[in-house]
Amino acid sequence: MTTNTSILEQLSPRNSILLMIDLQPQMAFGVANIDRQELKNNAVALAKAAKVFNVPTFITSVETESFSGFTFPEITSIFPEADVYERTSMNSWDSKKLRDDIKAVGRKKLVMCGLWTEVCINTACNSAMLDGFEPYIVADVCGATSKMAQEYSMQRMIQAGAHPVTWQQVMLEWQRDWAKRDTYDAVMDIVRTHSGAYGMGVDYAYSMVHKQPQRGQWKGKIVKAPTQL
């Protein structure tokens, strides 16, 4: 049996493209498989990671002014000069401009996320595979209209050959080695801001173990206030 070694190759900043599909408020209103604030947190974290590692990032939208609203400002603020690829089709891969621009990057590992999993992610994933791309579907940055829709949409893409990942998994594959000091601090900032308990642990280790200054702008002090009964 011949093994496809491409699927074993780790994601890196040099072989990846990020495609963020339709992260818009009206689309988010229908999300039921994940807490919507968590979804936004994860999306922003992934976008920040792509920025840190200079991963080419493409953002799409559908029916912005007539239905879906503008892309989350937290995303576009990370890429203030980026164009957003607007379309009417549910399948962003139907946009020749988007397809051509992604193909021009010359990479095959396509990290994908967005709304909704069962429509816009499925169709773009399958179409991209037909064009020879290797999709990595960021499950915790994908919103569907039900848990069942998320489950079966993910299963369909996996059965077709796509790879399920999470945003933090992608970021840490891009980092790969903590000796890479040029991105270490920025990755740790993302972790502390967006990674929940992991981030809390990093904050604790920085301030209590390594005696580094606390994160943030607090200039006050801890005032001893003994109990008086």
Side-chain angles (χ1 to χ4, degrees), residues 3-223:
T3 301
N4 178 5
T5 57
S6 176
I7 66 172
L8 303 178
E9 181 186 8
Q10 186 167 318
L11 290 170
S12 80
R14 296 170 300 283
N15 66 14
S16 305
I17 300 170
L18 175 60
L19 175 57
M20 308 190 84
I21 295 175
D22 304 352
L23 290 165
Q24 300 166 266
Q26 177 62 43
M27 305 305 297
F29 294 160
V31 168
N33 67 299
I34 184 173
D35 178 81
R36 284 169 284 190
Q37 188 58 44
E38 181 182 356
L39 174 74
K40 179 182 276 191
N41 171 77
N42 298 345
V44 172
L46 181 61
K48 286 181 177 180
K51 182 80 167 183
V52 166
F53 290 100
N54 295 312
V55 172
T57 299
F58 296 85
I59 302 168
T60 76
S61 61
V62 60
E63 296 289 355
T64 294
E65 296 185 83
S66 63
F67 181 74
S68 298
F70 289 97
T71 299
F72 298 158
E74 294 89 347
I75 300 295
T76 50
S77 294
I78 295 167
F79 305 102
E81 305 300 323
D83 293 328
V84 174
Y85 293 77
E86 172 82 359
R87 67 188 197 286
T88 58
S89 172
M90 296 182 201
N91 183 355
S92 58
W93 211 255
D94 288 343
S95 167
K96 184 177 185 302
K97 171 67 173 168
L98 177 66
R99 291 197 312 270
D100 289 348
D101 287 354
I102 289 177
K103 289 176 182 178
V105 177
R107 304 176 181 186
K108 292 300 184 182
K109 292 188 180 294
L110 185 62
V111 180
M112 302 177 65
C113 65
L115 309 175
W116 293 330
T117 317
E118 69 267 38
V119 184
C120 303
I121 305 302
N122 257 247
T123 55
C125 172
N126 294 338
S127 296
M129 290 183 73
L130 288 172
D131 273 348
F133 286 85
E134 187 179 329
Y136 290 74
I137 309 302
V138 190
D140 57 355
V141 192
C142 286
T145 56
S146 68
K147 290 183 178 179
M148 184 175 289
Q150 177 78 0
E151 177 185 354
Y152 286 106
S153 299
M154 292 297 300
Q155 284 191 28
R156 180 183 179 186
M157 290 184 284
I158 292 166
Q159 288 168 0
H163 314 302
V165 290
T166 62
W167 77 262
Q168 191 161 260
Q169 177 184 357
V170 171
M171 180 179 71
L172 296 181
E173 284 199 32
W174 285 341
Q175 175 66 27
R176 186 165 185 157
D177 188 341
W178 293 123
K180 295 179 179 177
R181 304 305 299 186
D182 55 330
T183 53
Y184 177 91
D185 287 339
V187 166
M188 284 294 99
D189 282 344
I190 294 171
V191 166
R192 291 190 289 176
T193 304
H194 297 282
S195 291
Y198 177 25
M200 295 177 202
V202 172
D203 266 334
Y204 178 85
Y206 269 46
S207 60
M208 303 304 293
V209 178
H210 300 292
K211 306 304 179 184
Q212 297 297 310
Q214 282 188 283
R215 181 165 57 100
Q217 303 299 315
W218 181 50
K219 300 299 183 183
K221 61 183 178 180
I222 295 176
V223 178

